[in-house]
Amino acid sequence: MRTGNSGAAATGTAVLLAAAPAGRGRAIDAASVLPALAAVPPGVLTGTGTATVVELADPLDPQTVLTRLRAAAASPGPLVLCLAGQLHLDRRQQLTHLALARTTPATLRYTALPWHWLAGELGVRAPGTTTVVADLAADPVVWERLTTTPDLLYLGPGPTLYGRVTPAPRRGEPMAPVYLRSWAELWRSGARLPYATLHAESAAHAATVAPESRFLAPAPAPVPVVEQDPHPAILAAAMAGRHGEAAAVAAAWEHEALRRHGPRSEEAVHWTEVRADLARLAGEPARSCELWLAAAEARLGLRQRPDDPDVEGAVDRAHHQWEQIGDRARARTLGPLLVALRERVPGRRPGALAAVTRRMAD
């Protein structure tokens, strides 16, 4: 982590994430772009006087990446995510993932970062404060889906996404992240160019190297319409397997509830619960459990009684999702939080607290 300061009041955050599987599964030499990006002054990356840079080079664990992204997203200032890596489809859940260093086809669900996690963390930020610059190689299934589903990599209404996606080479040397490297070179030139200009120049350069590339540029940001009920569309997207889209729309509505009603409001808690149920539908019990725990704590913070059906329901759902977590380390991390809630909200199932305690002791 490094910081630059030229005296201006605004503080920005830049996250440099380069990830690709080790060995023969590597389709892009993602980490090769990091020295060029690291040479850019922090304030130039974010367009602010003061900036913090977080560098993640070939990370191993998706939860670690999620934690670092969540911390960066919590900063109120401008956020720029520079991302180099490769995309794969989890054929069982039909979800797009960003491969990490330990990812293999057999372990994709557990060792790669689901793309909709990015949408969930970045989509709640205020529009105009978040920029993602991505240079990505796509496996054949993801590449084909980009043709039929143009918004496959949609991150929500807040973030602005510029990028290049190229089909992963089937054999031979990994491809180079020339699109993102071009951004770095333009930044290092000292010119404070608009992002649209940086994208256009970098795309033109990358197209000469890989003419088959697809380039991503921002579309008009959808704005939630308060008069409409978004729940049917969100549920339809989730049931159709478009979990990233459903999570991004729900995150946008949660942001709108926070803006209108504040974090200590029934409306904000409701959308946390919607996101928790979407995580369940996406087959992410740990994420669902985490969100249900947060919803239960929020309801207790609103002075709802421990025997209130909404409070009991949130804790019961957190408990059920916790029991579905296959990663024992992740279950141990969330277990003490569930135990603390069960002590306050025992629920109507006899022995619920004892059941958690027994499993924690196994």
Side-chain angles (χ1 to χ4, degrees):
M1 182 178 294
R2 58 195 176 96
T3 301
N5 189 348
S6 61
T11 300
T13 304
V15 178
L16 313 181
L17 171 56
R24 290 183 296 176
R26 176 161 295 192
I28 182 171
D29 188 10
S32 67
V33 76
L34 288 177
L37 289 169
V40 180
V44 174
L45 287 169
T46 60
T48 59
T50 305
T52 297
V53 176
V54 178
E55 186 173 309
L56 298 171
D58 280 326
L60 302 175
D61 177 50
Q63 288 292 338
T64 300
V65 177
L66 178 64
T67 299
R68 302 298 294 274
L69 287 172
R70 182 173 297 164
S75 174
L79 171 63
V80 175
L81 169 61
C82 296
L83 175 61
Q86 55 194 73
L87 301 174
H88 295 267
L89 187 78
D90 169 22
R91 294 177 182 271
R92 179 177 175 183
Q93 295 184 318
Q94 299 296 301
L95 294 174
T96 303
H97 287 64
L98 179 75
L100 301 182
R102 293 189 300 187
T103 299
T104 66
T107 65
L108 182 68
R109 291 181 60 197
Y110 310 104
T111 61
L113 183 76
W115 187 262
H116 67 271
W117 284 13
L118 289 176
E121 298 304 323
L122 302 181
V124 298
R125 288 176 52 85
T129 65
T130 311
T131 304
V132 179
V133 185
D135 202 343
L136 303 165
D139 76 8
V141 181
V142 174
W143 178 253
E144 182 179 352
R145 290 205 172 187
L146 282 169
T147 302
T148 58
T149 313
D151 63 348
L152 183 68
L153 303 182
Y154 180 61
L155 292 173
T160 301
L161 173 63
Y162 297 95
R164 174 188 77 144
V165 185
T166 301
R170 294 185 180 276
R171 59 180 64 86
E173 291 296 318
M175 57 178 279
V178 293
Y179 169 79
L180 190 51
R181 187 175 296 155
S182 178
W183 277 71
E185 291 170 354
L186 290 167
W187 269 324
R188 290 177 64 190
S189 70
R192 295 285 185 116
L193 299 172
Y195 287 142
T197 302
L198 291 166
H199 167 73
E201 295 198 16
S202 298
H205 171 69
T208 64
V209 178
E212 70 278 23
S213 299
R214 290 194 178 102
F215 295 98
L216 312 172
V223 178
V225 179
V226 177
E227 291 76 14
Q228 295 179 353
D229 179 5
H231 296 84
I234 292 172
L235 180 60
M239 297 306 292
R242 304 194 308 274
H243 298 291
E245 176 187 333
V249 175
W253 279 89
E254 183 180 41
H255 175 73
E256 182 70 6
L258 290 167
R259 185 184 69 82
R260 287 174 173 264
H261 306 286
R264 296 178 60 83
S265 66
E266 180 80 22
E267 292 83 359
V269 177
H270 167 74
W271 284 106
T272 299
E273 293 175 339
V274 170
R275 292 173 59 213
D277 207 41
L278 290 176
R280 175 187 66 83
L281 292 172
E284 297 180 357
R287 179 68 169 152
S288 182
C289 174
E290 184 180 48
L291 289 166
W292 280 119
L293 291 172
E297 289 284 5
R299 289 194 175 279
L300 290 170
L302 291 173
R303 300 187 182 279
Q304 291 182 241
R305 294 173 52 84
D307 59 355
D308 186 295
D310 287 336
V311 176
E312 288 185 337
V315 178
D316 287 346
R317 291 179 178 90
H319 190 159
H320 176 73
Q321 288 300 295
W322 182 76
E323 291 176 336
Q324 310 306 309
I325 299 173
D327 183 341
R328 295 179 65 84
R330 185 72 177 131
R332 285 194 210 97
T333 299
L334 293 172
L337 302 176
L338 179 58
V339 168
L341 264 177
R342 270 296 179 213
E343 290 173 343
R344 299 163 65 190
V345 186
R348 307 192 183 192
R349 291 193 311 174
L353 175 58
V356 180
T357 306
R358 281 196 304 272
R359 187 178 176 193
M360 288 285 291
D362 289 345

